Amino acid sequence: MIVDSKQKTQSLKISSPAVSETLAGNVLRQIQSAIVKGEIAPGSKISEPELARAYGVSRGPLREALHQLEGQKLLVRVPHVGARVVSLTRLELCELYQIRESLEGLACRLAAERMRPDQVEELREVLREHERDEAFQAGRGYYQQEGDFDFHYRIVQASDNQMLIRLLCDELYQLARMYRIQHSSTPNRPEQAFAEHHRILDAIADGDGELAEMLMRRHIRTSRINIETQIS
């Protein structure tokens, strides 16, 4: 089959956006991971030329990725300076955790009312996977995978409240995860958090929404106090 030049041009126009989207998605995940894990430090100035060279992408996909990182609250635009990695003040961090305490507590209560036994068992398997994690066993930190492997994420999803899911699993998720991960290696905190997760899940399994909410709120409050102690 012979394809004329006009057809080739049309084909390129159709496929190029998909290629660009793939590049932007790949670089988004890489930069996102570097920021969340602290490999790109909080407050760091973002240099597009340096990132383009480091990740081997052109400026177009990179800018698309940076725009999405702004939407995830991981980057902020500073007038006359440009983009920087977010670095919350003590007050801003306290406000973030107050939001998490309230909303994740509600999500936990709803999950206790709505989770099926098979969903509870799946969440227990998530905790078993956390327990097998090498870093956790060595006392160096807590399990760091996201999405369906994240205990908090799974509970919010199980609440079946779309507004909560949008706020906690999309808009604020990576920002909250950034502080959870970077401050998870305090001595004894990983083991303590793991035990708290089990108690929360037991309350959910029993259908005790009031207890599940109280335990989640206490769990997040303890995490906030732990982080505030580290950054004071």
Side-chain angles (χ1 to χ4, degrees):
M1 177 179 176
I2 299 175
V3 180
D4 62 27
S5 58
K6 183 178 180 180
Q7 288 176 307
K8 288 181 180 179
T9 301
Q10 289 175 335
S11 176
L12 287 172
K13 287 181 179 178
I14 293 171
S15 63
S16 292
V19 173
S20 176
E21 182 179 342
T22 300
L23 288 172
N26 287 339
V27 74
L28 167 66
R29 286 188 291 274
Q30 292 180 71
I31 299 175
Q32 179 189 82
S33 177
I35 291 174
V36 167
K37 293 178 181 177
E39 295 165 4
I40 302 177
S44 298
K45 188 176 185 303
I46 294 298
S47 167
E48 289 187 15
E50 289 181 11
L51 286 178
R53 286 194 297 271
Y55 292 98
V57 294
S58 64
R59 300 286 281 276
L62 176 63
R63 285 175 177 167
E64 184 179 342
L66 295 180
H67 178 72
Q68 292 184 62
L69 290 167
E70 282 187 69
Q72 295 176 353
K73 311 293 191 294
L74 293 180
L75 295 182
V76 293
R77 291 281 174 182
V78 181
H80 312 298
V81 176
R84 286 188 179 277
V85 175
V86 67
S87 179
L88 297 183
T89 65
R90 187 183 180 89
L91 176 60
E92 290 169 335
L93 183 63
C94 180
E95 291 173 345
L96 172 65
Y97 269 73
Q98 286 172 340
I99 290 170
R100 284 192 61 210
E101 181 181 332
S102 179
L103 296 186
E104 290 195 40
L106 171 59
C108 226
R109 177 160 58 82
L110 293 173
E113 297 170 0
R114 298 173 179 178
M115 282 185 80
R116 302 186 309 271
D118 62 301
Q119 291 177 304
V120 172
E121 182 53 35
E122 287 174 3
L123 196 48
R124 288 200 189 280
E125 180 54 38
V126 168
L127 289 182
R128 286 192 283 267
E129 183 68 23
H130 292 186
E131 190 172 25
R132 290 190 288 266
D133 180 61
E134 181 180 342
F136 175 75
Q137 291 186 352
R140 296 195 304 269
Y142 201 68
Y143 195 73
Q144 297 182 355
Q145 296 300 314
E146 60 184 304
D148 284 343
F149 293 98
D150 182 340
F151 181 78
H152 290 263
Y153 182 95
R154 288 287 285 264
I155 286 178
V156 176
Q157 291 285 331
S159 76
D160 203 27
N161 181 302
Q162 295 308 307
M163 188 169 290
L164 279 177
I165 291 170
R166 185 170 67 251
L167 287 168
L168 295 173
C169 295
D170 186 10
E171 295 179 18
L172 296 175
Y173 181 65
Q174 294 298 341
L175 178 62
R177 185 167 168 261
M178 168 182 168
Y179 279 89
R180 282 168 50 199
I181 286 178
Q182 292 185 26
H183 296 277
S184 67
S185 58
T186 304
N188 300 319
R189 181 55 192 159
E191 293 84 356
Q192 181 185 11
F194 184 72
E196 291 166 4
H197 284 176
H198 270 288
R199 287 194 289 271
I200 290 166
L201 184 54
D202 287 342
I204 290 174
D206 291 339
D208 192 336
E210 184 177 351
L211 178 59
E213 179 174 8
M214 183 196 74
L215 290 172
M216 179 60 85
R217 290 177 68 104
R218 182 184 296 168
H219 170 66
I220 293 174
R221 193 179 309 126
T222 300
S223 295
R224 173 179 59 79
I225 293 169
N226 173 61
I227 293 175
E228 287 180 341
T229 299
Q230 293 184 57
I231 66 174
S232 60

